[in-house]
Amino acid sequence: MAARRPRSASEPDCDDDSYEVLDLTEYARRHHWWNRVFGRNSGPIVEKYSVATQIVMGGVTGWCAGFLFQKVGKLAATAVGGGFLLLQIASHSGYVQVDWKRVEKDVNKAKRQIKKRANRAAPEINTLIEESTEFIKQNIVVSSGFVGGFLLGLAS
C-alpha cells in the first residue's frame, strides 16, 4: 500500500509524485488474523512455511484422503449391498433358512451392549474432540486447505 508523502516547502514542484511504501508483510507477520478469532495461544505449528505452501500441503493431503475415502466407501457399500443381495437370493431360492426371531433377539442384545459401551466411552470422545479442536486452531491454514482438498477429492 502506498501513501502520498506530503511535500515540504523547500522541495521543487514536479510531475513525479513521490510515495512512501508501507510494508504490510511485517504487519501481517506480527498480527495474525486468527489470533483475533481463536485467541492468543493459537497459531500454526508449520509457521516456518508460507501461507500458500501450507494451503497447498493441506489441499493435496485432503484431496488424497477424500479420493481414498470415496473409493473405499464405494467398495464397502458394494460389498455390503452385494452380500445382502446374495443372502436374499439364497433365502428366496430356499438355500438358506433364516430364523428371524433369533435375528431380532440378537439385534436387541447388540443394541443394549452398544448403549452400555457408548455411555462409558463418552469421556474419551470428549477428550478426542477437545484435542482435535486444539489441533485445528493451531493449524488453521493447513486445516482449511485439507477440508477444501477433501471435498474436492470426494467430488472427483
Side-chain angles (χ1 to χ4, degrees):
M1 174 114 197
R4 191 172 201 162
R5 189 174 53 117
R7 238 183 267 145
S8 65
S10 63
E11 290 183 28
D13 204 18
C14 64
D15 291 336
D16 244 357
D17 290 332
S18 58
Y19 290 92
E20 179 184 353
V21 177
L22 301 175
D23 189 14
L24 292 178
T25 56
E26 279 301 315
Y27 177 81
R29 277 195 192 110
R30 284 183 270 123
H31 301 89
H32 297 293
W33 63 269
W34 56 79
N35 286 343
R36 288 180 292 214
V37 176
F38 297 108
R40 283 310 232 182
N41 293 334
S42 66
I45 291 174
V46 290
E47 203 169 66
K48 61 184 174 183
Y49 298 108
S50 70
V51 173
T53 304
Q54 292 178 45
I55 290 174
V56 168
M57 286 178 6
V60 168
T61 56
W63 183 86
C64 291
F67 187 77
L68 287 174
F69 188 79
Q70 174 200 29
K71 295 300 179 187
V72 170
K74 282 183 180 179
L75 181 66
T78 302
V80 169
F84 184 73
L85 181 67
L86 288 175
L87 181 64
Q88 287 298 322
I89 290 172
S91 175
H92 184 70
S93 299
Y95 289 110
V96 177
Q97 293 290 328
V98 179
D99 185 3
W100 289 109
K101 293 206 183 283
R102 185 172 177 189
V103 169
E104 184 179 359
K105 184 179 119 185
D106 289 344
V107 167
N108 288 334
K109 182 179 176 184
K111 281 184 187 177
R112 286 192 302 272
Q113 288 178 350
I114 289 173
K115 283 183 182 179
K116 286 179 185 177
R117 289 182 185 166
N119 291 337
R120 279 188 269 142
E124 291 89 12
I125 292 173
N126 288 338
T127 304
L128 180 66
I129 290 171
E130 289 172 8
E131 289 174 0
S132 300
T133 305
E134 188 62 31
F135 177 80
I136 290 171
K137 283 182 183 179
Q138 290 178 353
N139 299 291
I140 191 71
V141 177
V142 175
S143 300
S144 59
F146 181 86
V147 169
F150 185 82
L151 293 175
L152 286 174
L154 281 178
S156 62

